[in-house]
Amino acid sequence: MRIPFFKKKAKKQRYTIAFYNLENLFDPEQNKNTLDRDYTPTGIKKWTVERYRHKLAKLSKTIIRIGEEKHPYPPVLIGVAEAENNSVLQALVDTDPMEDLDYGFIHFDSPDERGIDTGLIYRKKFFKVLHAEPLALMVNNAGGIRDTTRDILYVKGELNKELVHIFVNHWPSRRDGDVETEYKRVIAAEEIIQNIKSIKLQELEPNIIVMGDFNDDPSSKSIQVLKEGTSLFNAMETLHIPDSRGTSVYGGKWNMFDQVLISNSFFNFEKNTHSFDTAGIFDHKSLKEKKGKYKGTPYRTFVSHRYMGGYSDHFPVYTVFTFNS
Protein backbone atom coordinates (compact mmCIF):
# COMPACT_ATOMS: atom_id res chain seq x y z
CA MET A 1 0.00 0.00 0.00
CA ARG A 2 1.32 3.41 -0.98
CA ILE A 3 1.50 5.91 1.87
CA PRO A 4 0.05 9.27 0.80
CA PHE A 5 2.43 12.22 0.84
CA PHE A 6 1.32 15.30 2.70
CA LYS A 7 3.19 18.47 1.92
CA LYS A 8 4.32 20.29 5.04
CA LYS A 9 2.52 23.61 5.36
CA ALA A 10 4.92 26.52 5.21
CA LYS A 11 5.21 28.66 8.32
CA LYS A 12 4.08 32.25 7.96
CA GLN A 13 6.81 34.81 8.32
CA ARG A 14 5.57 37.67 10.46
CA TYR A 15 7.18 41.00 11.29
CA THR A 16 6.17 43.52 13.93
CA ILE A 17 6.38 47.27 13.39
CA ALA A 18 5.86 49.42 16.48
CA PHE A 19 5.72 52.95 17.82
CA TYR A 20 6.60 54.03 21.37
CA ASN A 21 6.65 57.43 23.05
CA LEU A 22 9.58 57.04 25.46
CA GLU A 23 8.44 59.84 27.83
CA ASN A 24 11.38 62.21 28.10
CA LEU A 25 14.33 59.92 27.50
CA PHE A 26 17.05 62.37 28.53
CA ASP A 27 20.62 61.68 29.51
CA PRO A 28 21.73 63.28 32.83
CA GLU A 29 24.07 65.79 31.17
CA GLN A 30 22.99 69.38 30.66
CA ASN A 31 22.89 70.60 27.05
CA LYS A 32 23.38 74.35 26.74
CA ASN A 33 21.31 74.43 23.53
CA THR A 34 18.11 72.90 24.96
CA LEU A 35 15.88 73.31 28.01
CA ASP A 36 16.91 70.09 29.72
CA ARG A 37 18.13 71.36 33.10
CA ASP A 38 15.26 69.58 34.91
CA TYR A 39 16.72 66.27 33.68
CA THR A 40 20.10 66.61 35.40
CA PRO A 41 21.26 65.39 38.82
CA THR A 42 20.87 68.91 40.26
CA GLY A 43 17.63 69.67 38.41
CA ILE A 44 14.16 69.59 39.90
CA LYS A 45 13.66 65.95 38.83
CA LYS A 46 17.03 64.85 40.25
CA TRP A 47 17.74 62.87 37.08
CA THR A 48 20.73 60.77 38.08
CA VAL A 49 22.77 58.23 36.11
CA GLU A 50 21.14 55.48 38.18
CA ARG A 51 17.61 56.63 37.29
CA TYR A 52 18.60 57.02 33.65
CA ARG A 53 20.00 53.48 33.47
CA HIS A 54 16.94 52.13 35.25
CA LYS A 55 14.68 53.71 32.62
CA LEU A 56 16.83 52.39 29.76
CA ALA A 57 16.59 48.86 31.16
CA LYS A 58 12.80 49.07 31.48
CA LEU A 59 12.34 50.48 27.97
CA SER A 60 14.65 47.88 26.46
CA LYS A 61 12.79 44.98 28.07
CA THR A 62 9.49 46.44 26.89
CA ILE A 63 10.53 47.12 23.30
CA ILE A 64 11.57 43.54 22.55
CA ARG A 65 8.20 42.32 23.87
CA ILE A 66 5.93 44.66 21.91
CA GLY A 67 3.28 42.63 20.11
CA GLU A 68 4.36 39.34 21.70
CA GLU A 69 0.74 38.22 22.10
CA LYS A 70 0.41 38.19 18.30
CA HIS A 71 3.97 37.42 17.25
CA PRO A 72 6.74 36.13 19.55
CA TYR A 73 9.72 37.85 17.90
CA PRO A 74 10.98 41.39 18.67
CA PRO A 75 9.89 44.24 16.37
CA VAL A 76 11.92 44.88 13.23
CA LEU A 77 11.05 48.59 13.20
CA ILE A 78 10.25 50.86 16.15
CA GLY A 79 9.40 54.51 15.69
CA VAL A 80 10.09 56.50 18.86
CA ALA A 81 9.30 59.94 20.25
CA GLU A 82 10.83 62.02 23.03
CA ALA A 83 14.43 60.92 22.59
CA GLU A 84 16.92 63.67 23.44
CA ASN A 85 19.81 62.79 21.14
CA ASN A 86 21.93 60.12 19.47
CA SER A 87 23.48 59.28 22.81
CA VAL A 88 20.27 58.07 24.46
CA LEU A 89 19.27 55.95 21.46
CA GLN A 90 22.73 54.44 21.29
CA ALA A 91 22.55 53.66 25.00
CA LEU A 92 19.11 52.10 24.47
CA VAL A 93 20.15 49.73 21.67
CA ASP A 94 23.30 48.85 23.63
CA THR A 95 21.25 47.79 26.65
CA ASP A 96 20.60 44.11 27.21
CA PRO A 97 18.69 42.41 25.68
CA MET A 98 18.52 44.71 22.62
CA GLU A 99 22.27 44.55 22.03
CA ASP A 100 22.16 40.93 20.88
CA LEU A 101 19.51 41.75 18.25
CA ASP A 102 21.80 44.13 16.33
CA TYR A 103 19.52 47.17 16.27
CA GLY A 104 20.55 50.35 14.51
CA PHE A 105 18.81 53.71 14.66
CA ILE A 106 18.22 56.97 12.80
CA HIS A 107 17.93 60.31 14.57
CA PHE A 108 18.30 63.99 13.70
CA ASP A 109 18.36 66.87 16.18
CA SER A 110 15.23 68.97 15.73
CA PRO A 111 14.56 72.63 16.65
CA ASP A 112 12.34 71.58 19.56
CA GLU A 113 13.32 73.82 22.46
CA ARG A 114 13.28 70.93 24.94
CA GLY A 115 15.41 68.80 22.64
CA ILE A 116 13.06 65.81 22.36
CA ASP A 117 13.01 64.25 18.93
CA THR A 118 11.65 61.38 16.87
CA GLY A 119 13.75 58.43 15.79
CA LEU A 120 13.58 55.05 14.07
CA ILE A 121 15.13 51.91 15.54
CA TYR A 122 15.55 49.00 13.13
CA ARG A 123 16.98 45.49 12.99
CA LYS A 124 19.80 45.55 10.48
CA LYS A 125 19.14 41.95 9.49
CA PHE A 126 15.73 42.84 8.06
CA PHE A 127 15.83 46.53 7.18
CA LYS A 128 18.23 48.45 4.93
CA VAL A 129 18.22 52.26 5.06
CA LEU A 130 18.38 53.92 1.64
CA HIS A 131 17.63 57.51 2.60
CA ALA A 132 16.69 59.49 5.71
CA GLU A 133 15.96 63.15 6.38
CA PRO A 134 14.11 65.41 8.83
CA LEU A 135 11.09 67.24 7.40
CA ALA A 136 10.77 70.65 9.03
CA LEU A 137 7.29 71.44 10.32
CA MET A 138 6.67 75.13 9.78
CA VAL A 139 3.92 76.26 12.15
CA ASN A 140 3.48 79.58 13.92
CA ASN A 141 1.96 80.40 17.28
CA ALA A 142 -1.02 82.74 17.52
CA GLY A 143 1.33 85.74 17.67
CA GLY A 144 2.97 84.83 14.38
CA ILE A 145 6.18 83.51 15.99
CA ARG A 146 7.40 80.12 14.81
CA ASP A 147 6.65 77.19 17.06
CA THR A 148 9.93 75.30 17.12
CA THR A 149 8.34 71.88 17.28
CA ARG A 150 9.65 68.44 16.34
CA ASP A 151 10.58 67.59 12.77
CA ILE A 152 8.91 64.69 11.00
CA LEU A 153 11.42 61.89 10.36
CA TYR A 154 11.26 60.42 6.87
CA VAL A 155 13.04 57.15 6.09
CA LYS A 156 13.12 55.26 2.81
CA GLY A 157 14.37 51.70 3.02
CA GLU A 158 13.98 48.05 2.18
CA LEU A 159 12.15 45.71 4.54
CA ASN A 160 13.09 42.19 3.47
CA LYS A 161 14.07 43.80 0.15
CA GLU A 162 10.63 45.39 -0.35
CA LEU A 163 10.71 49.18 -0.67
CA VAL A 164 8.89 51.09 2.09
CA HIS A 165 8.50 54.77 3.02
CA ILE A 166 8.22 55.57 6.74
CA PHE A 167 7.18 58.81 8.45
CA VAL A 168 7.75 59.06 12.23
CA ASN A 169 5.83 61.85 13.94
CA HIS A 170 5.37 63.71 17.19
CA TRP A 171 2.90 66.45 16.33
CA PRO A 172 2.48 69.74 18.23
CA SER A 173 1.02 69.34 21.69
CA ARG A 174 -2.32 70.41 23.11
CA ARG A 175 -0.66 72.29 25.95
CA ASP A 176 -2.36 75.56 24.99
CA GLY A 177 -5.72 73.87 24.37
CA ASP A 178 -6.79 71.19 21.91
CA VAL A 179 -9.03 73.51 19.87
CA GLU A 180 -6.56 76.39 19.98
CA THR A 181 -3.70 74.24 18.68
CA GLU A 182 -5.67 72.08 16.25
CA TYR A 183 -4.49 74.07 13.21
CA LYS A 184 -0.88 73.09 13.95
CA ARG A 185 -1.62 69.40 13.70
CA VAL A 186 -3.65 69.93 10.54
CA ILE A 187 -0.57 71.62 9.02
CA ALA A 188 1.47 68.56 10.03
CA ALA A 189 -1.05 66.32 8.26
CA GLU A 190 -0.84 68.48 5.14
CA GLU A 191 2.96 68.27 5.19
CA ILE A 192 2.80 64.48 5.06
CA ILE A 193 0.13 64.57 2.35
CA GLN A 194 2.39 66.67 0.12
CA ASN A 195 5.34 64.33 0.66
CA ILE A 196 3.25 61.27 -0.14
CA LYS A 197 1.99 62.95 -3.32
CA SER A 198 5.62 63.45 -4.36
CA ILE A 199 6.38 59.80 -3.72
CA LYS A 200 3.37 58.73 -5.79
CA LEU A 201 4.69 60.70 -8.75
CA GLN A 202 7.68 58.33 -8.78
CA GLU A 203 6.06 55.04 -7.70
CA LEU A 204 2.77 53.51 -8.80
CA GLU A 205 1.68 51.90 -5.52
CA PRO A 206 4.21 52.87 -2.84
CA ASN A 207 4.29 51.15 0.54
CA ILE A 208 3.79 53.84 3.15
CA ILE A 209 3.79 53.70 6.95
CA VAL A 210 2.91 56.81 8.95
CA MET A 211 3.35 56.34 12.69
CA GLY A 212 3.67 58.50 15.74
CA ASP A 213 2.26 60.37 18.68
CA PHE A 214 -0.13 62.66 16.84
CA ASN A 215 -1.53 64.39 19.94
CA ASP A 216 -4.91 63.71 18.36
CA ASP A 217 -7.30 60.76 18.37
CA PRO A 218 -8.29 58.78 15.24
CA SER A 219 -11.53 60.79 15.03
CA SER A 220 -9.77 64.19 15.27
CA LYS A 221 -9.74 66.60 12.35
CA SER A 222 -6.01 66.30 11.68
CA ILE A 223 -6.11 62.51 11.36
CA GLN A 224 -9.20 62.68 9.18
CA VAL A 225 -7.45 65.22 6.93
CA LEU A 226 -4.46 62.88 6.70
CA LYS A 227 -6.65 59.88 5.81
CA GLU A 228 -8.67 61.76 3.21
CA GLY A 229 -5.57 63.22 1.58
CA THR A 230 -3.68 59.94 1.36
CA SER A 231 -6.26 57.10 1.52
CA LEU A 232 -4.24 55.53 4.34
CA PHE A 233 -5.77 52.85 6.56
CA ASN A 234 -5.69 53.60 10.29
CA ALA A 235 -4.91 50.31 11.99
CA MET A 236 -5.60 51.82 15.43
CA GLU A 237 -9.04 53.29 14.81
CA THR A 238 -11.13 50.41 16.15
CA LEU A 239 -8.90 49.93 19.20
CA HIS A 240 -9.80 53.24 20.84
CA ILE A 241 -12.48 53.09 23.54
CA PRO A 242 -12.54 56.53 25.27
CA ASP A 243 -14.03 55.17 28.48
CA SER A 244 -11.72 52.22 28.92
CA ARG A 245 -8.85 51.81 26.45
CA GLY A 246 -6.23 53.79 24.60
CA THR A 247 -2.54 54.60 24.87
CA SER A 248 -2.58 57.46 27.38
CA VAL A 249 -4.93 59.07 29.88
CA TYR A 250 -5.67 62.74 30.48
CA GLY A 251 -8.42 64.09 32.68
CA GLY A 252 -9.81 60.60 33.23
CA LYS A 253 -10.29 60.03 29.50
CA TRP A 254 -8.40 57.52 27.39
CA ASN A 255 -6.72 58.98 24.32
CA MET A 256 -5.37 57.15 21.28
CA PHE A 257 -2.70 59.62 20.26
CA ASP A 258 -0.28 56.84 19.28
CA GLN A 259 -1.23 55.38 15.92
CA VAL A 260 0.07 53.55 12.85
CA LEU A 261 -1.46 54.25 9.43
CA ILE A 262 -0.57 52.23 6.35
CA SER A 263 -1.15 52.35 2.60
CA ASN A 264 -3.61 50.07 0.84
CA SER A 265 -0.67 48.38 -0.90
CA PHE A 266 -0.28 46.31 2.28
CA PHE A 267 -3.55 44.55 1.54
CA ASN A 268 -2.26 42.50 -1.36
CA PHE A 269 -0.85 38.99 -1.15
CA GLU A 270 1.68 39.02 -3.97
CA LYS A 271 4.90 37.08 -3.62
CA ASN A 272 7.78 38.85 -1.84
CA THR A 273 5.51 41.52 -0.39
CA HIS A 274 4.23 42.30 3.10
CA SER A 275 0.53 42.15 3.97
CA PHE A 276 -1.21 43.63 6.98
CA ASP A 277 -2.15 40.99 9.52
CA THR A 278 -3.21 42.63 12.78
CA ALA A 279 -2.73 45.63 15.07
CA GLY A 280 -2.72 46.17 18.81
CA ILE A 281 -1.91 48.19 21.89
CA PHE A 282 0.83 46.66 23.99
CA ASP A 283 -0.71 47.36 27.39
CA HIS A 284 0.71 44.44 29.35
CA LYS A 285 0.02 44.52 33.09
CA SER A 286 3.70 45.22 33.79
CA LEU A 287 3.31 48.61 32.08
CA LYS A 288 0.31 49.63 34.21
CA GLU A 289 -0.15 51.27 37.59
CA LYS A 290 -1.08 48.49 39.97
CA LYS A 291 -3.10 50.38 42.59
CA GLY A 292 -4.62 53.69 43.60
CA LYS A 293 -6.78 56.03 41.57
CA TYR A 294 -4.51 55.63 38.52
CA LYS A 295 -4.73 51.82 38.54
CA GLY A 296 -4.62 50.42 35.01
CA THR A 297 -3.13 53.56 33.44
CA PRO A 298 0.46 53.75 32.08
CA TYR A 299 3.13 53.34 34.76
CA ARG A 300 5.02 56.60 34.28
CA THR A 301 8.59 57.65 35.02
CA PHE A 302 7.34 60.86 36.61
CA VAL A 303 4.04 62.34 37.71
CA SER A 304 4.81 66.06 37.62
CA HIS A 305 8.13 66.23 39.52
CA ARG A 306 7.52 63.09 41.58
CA TYR A 307 9.66 60.13 40.53
CA MET A 308 7.61 56.96 40.02
CA GLY A 309 10.27 54.75 38.43
CA GLY A 310 8.00 53.51 35.65
CA TYR A 311 8.26 53.15 31.91
CA SER A 312 6.32 55.82 30.02
CA ASP A 313 3.09 57.79 30.12
CA HIS A 314 2.11 56.07 26.86
CA PHE A 315 1.55 52.45 25.90
CA PRO A 316 3.28 51.30 22.67
CA VAL A 317 1.24 50.38 19.60
CA TYR A 318 2.10 47.93 16.86
CA THR A 319 1.11 46.31 13.60
CA VAL A 320 2.04 42.81 12.45
CA PHE A 321 2.73 42.09 8.78
CA THR A 322 2.92 38.73 7.02
CA PHE A 323 5.65 38.30 4.43
CA ASN A 324 4.35 36.44 1.37
CA SER A 325 7.22 34.21 0.35
Side-chain angles (χ1 to χ4, degrees):
M1 180 178 176
R2 189 170 184 174
I3 299 173
F5 172 74
F6 295 97
K7 185 177 180 181
K8 188 176 180 181
K9 190 175 181 180
K11 290 184 178 180
K12 286 186 177 181
Q13 299 176 64
R14 289 190 174 94
Y15 299 91
T16 301
I17 295 173
F19 175 80
Y20 197 10
N21 182 319
L22 305 177
E23 191 202 353
N24 296 314
L25 182 58
F26 286 92
D27 62 35
E29 298 179 14
Q30 186 171 358
N31 185 330
K32 64 180 181 180
N33 297 318
T34 57
L35 302 178
D36 68 344
R37 181 173 174 76
D38 286 354
Y39 284 89
T40 60
T42 57
I44 195 167
K45 294 183 183 289
K46 296 181 172 54
W47 191 238
T48 61
V49 171
E50 182 181 8
R51 287 182 172 182
Y52 171 55
R53 288 176 177 169
H54 183 64
K55 183 176 176 77
L56 287 171
K58 282 183 172 288
L59 292 175
S60 177
K61 290 174 183 177
T62 301
I63 286 170
I64 67 161
R65 294 180 60 198
I66 294 174
E68 66 180 5
E69 64 269 48
K70 300 292 184 181
H71 176 56
Y73 296 102
V76 292
L77 295 169
I78 310 105
V80 297
E82 299 198 9
E84 184 185 17
N85 50 36
N86 276 8
S87 173
V88 300
L89 290 177
Q90 187 65 61
L92 181 61
V93 300
D94 286 344
T95 304
D96 288 337
M98 289 184 72
E99 184 178 21
D100 294 337
L101 296 169
D102 195 25
Y103 277 106
F105 67 88
I106 301 166
H107 164 269
F108 296 96
D109 286 318
S110 78
D112 183 86
E113 61 184 10
R114 293 180 58 222
I116 50 173
D117 309 320
T118 55
L120 182 70
I121 299 172
Y122 61 95
R123 288 192 69 185
K124 299 173 186 176
K125 179 180 179 180
F126 303 104
F127 187 74
K128 179 182 178 182
V129 178
L130 301 178
H131 175 75
E133 65 175 302
L135 304 176
L137 187 53
M138 305 302 292
V139 294
N140 293 333
N141 289 313
I145 300 173
R146 185 187 172 191
D147 181 358
T148 51
T149 189
R150 282 80 54 171
D151 294 329
I152 298 168
L153 174 61
Y154 167 65
V155 180
K156 177 181 178 181
E158 291 179 346
L159 179 61
N160 295 311
K161 297 184 179 180
E162 184 179 22
L163 188 62
V164 294
H165 302 268
I166 303 163
F167 296 85
V168 186
N169 302 263
H170 188 190
W171 287 1
S173 77
R174 297 183 169 200
R175 190 176 297 111
D176 296 323
D178 56 340
V179 175
E180 291 80 1
T181 58
E182 180 182 68
Y183 72 95
K184 297 180 181 180
R185 293 182 293 280
V186 171
I187 291 173
E190 291 170 344
E191 173 68 22
I192 292 179
I193 291 169
Q194 292 306 312
N195 278 274
I196 290 177
K197 283 182 178 179
S198 296
I199 292 169
K200 286 183 175 179
L201 291 175
Q202 302 173 47
E203 296 178 39
L204 184 59
E205 292 186 5
N207 297 311
I208 295 168
I209 300 170
V210 180
M211 66 172 86
D213 175 353
F214 297 96
N215 271 305
D216 268 336
D217 290 317
S219 60
S220 299
K221 181 179 178 180
S222 64
I223 302 299
Q224 292 303 308
V225 167
L226 177 60
K227 283 182 61 180
E228 290 168 9
T230 59
S231 299
L232 294 176
F233 169 73
N234 192 343
M236 307 293 126
E237 199 158 1
T238 59
L239 302 177
H240 184 213
I241 307 172
D243 293 335
S244 59
R245 199 175 190 216
T247 57
S248 62
V249 177
Y250 182 76
K253 175 188 173 185
W254 281 95
N255 296 117
M256 192 74 191
F257 291 170
D258 309 88
Q259 300 165 59
V260 180
L261 297 91
I262 61 175
S263 57
N264 290 322
S265 58
F266 288 112
F267 289 91
N268 67 64
F269 295 91
E270 297 175 8
K271 189 175 180 179
N272 297 324
T273 66
H274 296 81
S275 298
F276 173 74
D277 186 277
T278 189
I281 304 169
F282 187 61
D283 51 1
H284 188 269
K285 63 181 181 180
S286 62
L287 304 181
K288 297 178 180 180
E289 290 281 358
K290 293 178 175 55
K291 58 184 178 180
K293 67 176 181 177
Y294 299 114
K295 183 179 178 180
T297 65
Y299 180 22
R300 306 174 59 168
T301 307
F302 283 94
V303 173
S304 187
H305 299 313
R306 183 159 61 99
Y307 180 67
M308 307 300 292
Y311 300 74
S312 170
D313 54 354
H314 290 241
F315 292 136
V317 292
Y318 66 89
T319 56
V320 177
F321 290 85
T322 300
F323 184 68
N324 308 302
S325 56

